[in-house]
């Protein structure tokens, strides 16, 4: 009764005719919806439109197209990094800073931007994409495609022989590296990598509450330094081109103001490019200099977004945007601020607005405020996308995900996750000032960068098979730089640095409770499968009803216990039974023709269907479309009699059976594990959506079977 690794004839590829049939059925059933589209209604999208995304192709962009994409990336990718001049110098806390101090700080900023922003992210990390998708999950996906993960993992691990043939599955090297062989032998190393990914993503989720807080407080400082009140423009979400132009103005203004301050206050300020000024800074301030690293690291906040948002752009446009616009703008901006502070050290707390020339203050204030808002929104949107990927990989409970764009995938909104706003308000109110939030923000930034450096090192060895000397240099250089910054921030744990750890612990508790509960449920299901003889007895002893019954299960092999419970309460079965499992693969996307794996089980009219998705795929599908596709797939492996049976069953309707499982851990088990299952997991299970919620099933076709598992 088990589904073995599928042979080529079992991996069903949907024909163009099958997909076209679903599209035709969709348009026929929803003509009324389409008719209203001209009146402001939204035309219904067909199966093909859901899954055949144009930007999955790798077009050969012309230079001017790359330029347009670079322009669009300014606000979307570089919003956070671009607005960092608002608060970097203001977060520095030196008792009596002088010229050498400001030159030393500027030298640290210049070298940090150059080594981490330009060298590490722009020219190295951007190349570690998963078919155009970037971010922590992309690195993890690459490793999962090249390394056979096994054992008791926090994330579900399933592997079939057919996976390697998927369009978006990376091909393994013919000669495996020693590192890959080690990782495949060591389940401990696999678990460490997985936990690193979970911690990194939990930190980025919590970062969604810190970016708005520090950006808003920076704008408030501008008001406090000039006293009068102003009316802020409202953010019109429909005016993206306008806000992209704001960011172009932002980079132009900070560059020109920086150049003006250099010429007016201290023309030789660019001598800070010499690292000797860093040595002088540490020799002069000793421990105080080391403590300021937590503020200086804020100059590189948002560099991770270059990699995380890679899926919406291409490498060349991101590299051009940073190298030609962002990097030189930041150099001029920070150099101008340092030049101003050398002559006006008392203005350190309000550096940005104090260094802005009087006639440009109000225009700059409006542009800075709008830019800070866009930067905050970009980070919050990134949190939505990361949670969506976490849900797809089975390590976060399913929340509501609304797709805000029908043209581009990955642009999502979650009402539940939007409660990050409450955390943002509490942080802003609790600290009442920028330095503490800056220390918290910097902690997130540097830890995520350390995790990226670690994962990149493994990718370079296992996937790229880079020369071990080059890998060693990469790891030693960036781990040392980021590690030094991290030690400074750990010193600030009691002064705001604890916030990101608290946020991370909150999201990690949700993740670990959810994955542990799901794993225990699957273990119970696997241990209580319906045996072959028992299933035959159930089939022969129950009355058969015309139609199709689709059992939704997490198991890929065997007859799930839900069948036993279903027959016990109904006393009947349908003439065709299909056990459907939604499987999320560690690949960017699964094409429509690769979506279904089907197989026949031992008894006539009993089938297994695996519905496959990548972690960036849209899962929404109507129940009618789904049934048509399942039947079309089954016909391709059925004989003539079975085809007649499928046609007959299809005309008699379909019902969906979904299990509602309640886990209860016995009193003899570990009290902490008992608390996790009986309280945390049960709370998440009750308050979040089911795994099959993305399949839009009509209530009249659904039967929910309650099951109580004592574990």
């Amino acid at each position: 009764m088990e589904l073995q690794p599928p042979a080529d004839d079992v991996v069903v590829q949907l024909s163009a005719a099958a997909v076209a049939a679903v599209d035709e059925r969709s348009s026929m059933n929803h003509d009324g919806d389409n008719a209203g589209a001209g009146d402001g209604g939204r035309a219904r999208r067909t199966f093909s439109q859901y899954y055949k995304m144009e930007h999955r192709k790798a077009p050969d962009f012309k230079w001017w197209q790359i330029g347009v994409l670079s322009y669009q990336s300014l606000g979307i990718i570089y919003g956070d990094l671009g607005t960092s001049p608002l608060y970097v110098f203001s977060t520095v806390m030196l008792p009596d800073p002088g010229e050498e101090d400001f030159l030393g700080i500027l030298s640290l900023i210049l070298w940090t931007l150059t080594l981490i922003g330009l060298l590490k992210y722009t020219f190295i990390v951007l190349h570690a994409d998963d078919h155009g998708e970037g971010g922590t999950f992309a690195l993890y996906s690459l490793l999962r495609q090249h390394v056979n993960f096994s054992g008791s993992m926090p994330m579900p691990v399933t592997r079939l022989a057919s996976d390697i043939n998927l369009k978006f599955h990376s091909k393994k090297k013919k000669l495996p590296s020693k590192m890959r062989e080690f990782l495949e032998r060591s389940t401990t190393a696999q678990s460490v990598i997985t936990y690193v990914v979970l911690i990194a993503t939990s930190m980025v989720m919590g970062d969604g509450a810190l970016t708005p807080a520090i950006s808003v407080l920076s704008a408030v400082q501008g008001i406090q330094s000039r006293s009068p009140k102003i009316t802020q423009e409202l953010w019109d979400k429909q005016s993206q081109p306008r806000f992209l132009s704001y960011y172009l103005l932002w980079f132009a203004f900070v560059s020109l103001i920086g150049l003006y301050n250099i010429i007016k206050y201290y023309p030789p300020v660019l001598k800070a490019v010499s690292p000797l000024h860093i040595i002088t800074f540490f020799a002069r301030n000793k421990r105080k200099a080391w403590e300021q690293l937590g503020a200086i690291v804020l100059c590189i906040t948002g560099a991770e977004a270059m990699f995380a948002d890679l899926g919406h752009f291409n490498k060349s446009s991101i590299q051009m945007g940073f190298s030609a616009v962002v990097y030189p703008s930041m150099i001029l901006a920070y150099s101008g601020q340092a030049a101003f502070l050398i002559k006006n050290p008392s203005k350190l707390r309000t550096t940005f607005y104090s260094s802005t020339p009087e006639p440009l203050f109000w225009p700059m204030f409006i542009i800075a405020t709008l830019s800070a808002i866009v930067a905050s929104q970009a980070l919050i949107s990134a949190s939505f996308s990361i949670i969506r990927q976490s849900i797809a990989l089975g390590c976060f409970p399913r929340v509501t995900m609304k797709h805000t764009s029908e043209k581009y995938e990955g642009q999502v909104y979650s009402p539940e996750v939007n409660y990050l706003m409450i955390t943002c308000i509490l942080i802003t109110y609790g600290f009442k000032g920028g330095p503490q939030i800056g220390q918290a923000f910097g902690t997130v930034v540097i830890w995520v960068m350390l995790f990226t450096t670690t994962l990149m090192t493994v990718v370079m060895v296992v996937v790229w098979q880079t020369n071990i000397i080059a890998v060693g240099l990469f790891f030693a250089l960036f781990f040392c730089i980021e590690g030094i910054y991290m030690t400074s921030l750990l010193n600030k744990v009691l002064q705001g640095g604890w916030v990101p750890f608290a946020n991370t612990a909150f999201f990690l508790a949700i993740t670990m409770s959810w994955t542990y509960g799901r794993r225990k449920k699957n273990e119970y299901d696997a241990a209580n499968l319906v045996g072959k003889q028992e299933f035959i007895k159930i089939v022969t002893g129950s009355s058969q009803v015309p139609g199709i019954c689709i059992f939704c299960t997490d198991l890929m092999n065997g007859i799930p216990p839900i069948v036993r419970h279903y027959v016990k309460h109904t006393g009947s079965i349908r003439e065709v039974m299909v056990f459907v499992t939604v499987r999320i693969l560690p690949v960017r996307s699964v094409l429509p023709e690769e979506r279904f794996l089907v197989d026949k089980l031992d008894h006539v009219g009993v089938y297994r269907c695996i519905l496959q998705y990548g972690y960036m795929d849209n899962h929404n599908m109507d129940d009618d479309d789904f049934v048509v596709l399942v039947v079309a797939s089954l016909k391709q492996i059925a004989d003539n009699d079975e085809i007649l049976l499928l046609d007959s069953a299809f005309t008699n309707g379909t019902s969906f059976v979904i299990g509602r499982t309640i886990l209860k851990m016995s009193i003899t088990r570990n009290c902490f594990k008992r608390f996790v299952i009986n309280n945390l997991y049960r709370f998440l299970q009750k308050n979040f959506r089911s795994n099959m919620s993305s399949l839009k099933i009509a209530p009249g076709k659904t039967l929910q079977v309650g099951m109580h598992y004592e574990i």
Side-chain angles (χ1 to χ4, degrees), residues 150-163:
S150 58
S152 180
M153 300 295 297
M155 294 190 197
V157 177
T158 59
R159 182 178 291 273
L160 296 175
S162 60
D163 292 351

Side-chain angles (χ1 to χ4, degrees), residues 404-429:
T404 58
S405 172
E406 293 192 359
K407 187 176 181 181
Y408 302 105
E409 66 176 329
Q411 297 185 10
V412 292
Y413 164 75
S414 172
E416 294 95 334
V417 180
N418 212 38
Y419 284 108
L420 279 172
M421 173 189 67
I422 297 174
T423 308
C424 175
I425 293 171
L426 291 175
I427 291 171
T428 306
Y429 177 78

Side-chain angles (χ1 to χ4, degrees), residues 25 46 53 103 257 397 473:
R25 179 186 181 91
T46 63
M53 303 290 183
L103 288 174
I257 291 173
L473 288 174

Side-chain angles (χ1 to χ4, degrees), residues 433-684:
Q436 291 81 8
I437 297 180
Q439 288 149 12
F441 193 29
T443 303
V444 173
V445 170
I446 206 63
W447 275 99
V448 172
M449 287 182 175
L450 278 167
F451 291 142
T452 299
T453 297
T454 304
L455 291 172
M456 267 300 303
T457 302
V458 180
V459 167
M460 291 170 79
V461 174
V462 175
V463 182
W464 294 353
Q465 297 190 2
T466 307
N467 181 281
I468 195 65
I469 296 176
V471 174
L473 288 174
F474 171 85
F475 181 78
L477 174 63
F478 294 109
F479 197 86
C480 286
I481 293 173
E482 293 157 1
I484 292 170
Y485 275 120
M486 182 266 293
T487 60
S488 173
L489 286 161
L490 286 179
N491 187 54
K492 304 290 186 180
V493 168
L494 298 179
Q495 302 166 23
W498 60 270
V499 173
F501 292 111
N503 288 342
T504 301
F506 172 75
F507 284 105
L508 201 58
I510 295 175
T511 295
M512 299 311 299
S513 300
W514 180 254
T515 54
Y516 180 69
R518 297 294 295 177
R519 179 155 54 87
K520 286 299 179 183
K521 174 189 174 297
N522 290 339
E523 287 174 0
Y524 185 95
D525 281 341
N528 292 273
L529 293 173
V530 177
K532 182 176 181 179
Q533 295 303 319
E534 182 185 0
F535 183 67
I536 293 174
K537 184 178 178 181
I538 288 174
V539 172
T540 56
S542 305
S543 60
Q544 288 202 347
V545 179
I548 300 173
C549 183
I550 293 180
F551 290 92
C552 303
T553 174
D554 291 333
L555 296 179
M556 291 174 55
N557 292 307
I559 305 298
I562 190 175
V563 174
R564 189 183 295 123
H565 290 265
Y566 172 77
V567 173
K568 178 182 177 181
H569 288 89
T570 64
S572 63
I573 59 172
R574 293 283 186 125
E575 57 185 340
V576 172
M577 290 188 289
V578 185
F579 300 105
V580 174
T581 300
V582 176
R583 179 179 180 234
I584 310 299
L585 285 77
V587 297
R588 180 187 187 278
S589 178
V590 175
L591 296 179
E593 58 267 25
E594 302 166 335
R595 196 159 305 284
F596 289 89
L597 300 181
V598 294
D599 196 10
K600 293 187 288 187
L601 300 187
D602 289 349
H603 198 278
V604 175
V606 183
Y607 303 91
R608 166 87 57 199
C609 175
I610 297 176
L611 184 60
Q612 302 188 124
Y613 293 100
Y615 61 86
M616 289 300 293
D617 279 332
N618 183 348
H619 294 201
N620 291 339
M621 191 190 299
D622 280 359
D623 51 9
D624 290 341
D625 292 352
F626 175 73
V627 174
V628 171
L629 289 168
V630 169
V631 171
S633 302
L634 294 176
K635 283 183 177 180
Q636 295 184 43
I637 62 168
D639 55 34
N640 291 335
D641 291 337
E642 289 176 318
I643 290 175
L644 293 175
L645 176 63
L646 287 169
D647 287 336
S648 172
F650 178 73
T651 59
N652 286 297
T654 305
S655 62
F656 292 79
V657 178
I658 300 174
R660 183 66 175 177
T661 306
I662 297 175
L663 295 185
K664 184 178 180 181
M665 188 166 279
S666 64
I667 197 169
T668 59
R669 303 295 296 273
N670 178 287
C671 62
F672 177 73
K673 292 181 179 179
R674 196 165 66 246
F675 172 76
V676 170
I677 292 294
N678 296 349
N679 299 95
L680 296 182
Y681 177 71
R682 189 175 299 175
F683 173 82
L684 295 173

Side-chain angles (χ1 to χ4, degrees), residues 140 143-144 147-155 157 159 179-198 455 458:
Y140 184 66
L143 290 174
R144 286 275 295 268
V147 177
N148 294 322
F149 278 50
S150 58
S152 180
M153 300 295 297
M155 294 190 197
V157 177
R159 182 178 291 273
M179 174 67 83
R180 175 181 148 192
E181 293 174 345
F182 165 74
L183 289 176
E184 291 186 340
R185 290 195 309 268
S186 174
T187 56
T188 301
Q190 294 173 14
S191 296
V192 168
I193 290 174
T194 304
Y195 283 117
V196 164
V197 172
L198 292 177
L455 291 172
V458 180

Side-chain angles (χ1 to χ4, degrees), residues 316-342:
S316 299
S317 64
I318 295 174
Q319 290 169 337
M320 177 185 288
F322 186 80
S323 305
V325 179
V326 180
Y327 180 70
S329 296
M330 294 298 98
I331 297 297
L332 287 173
Y334 286 117
S335 299
Q337 290 182 4
F340 172 82
L341 289 171
I342 287 172

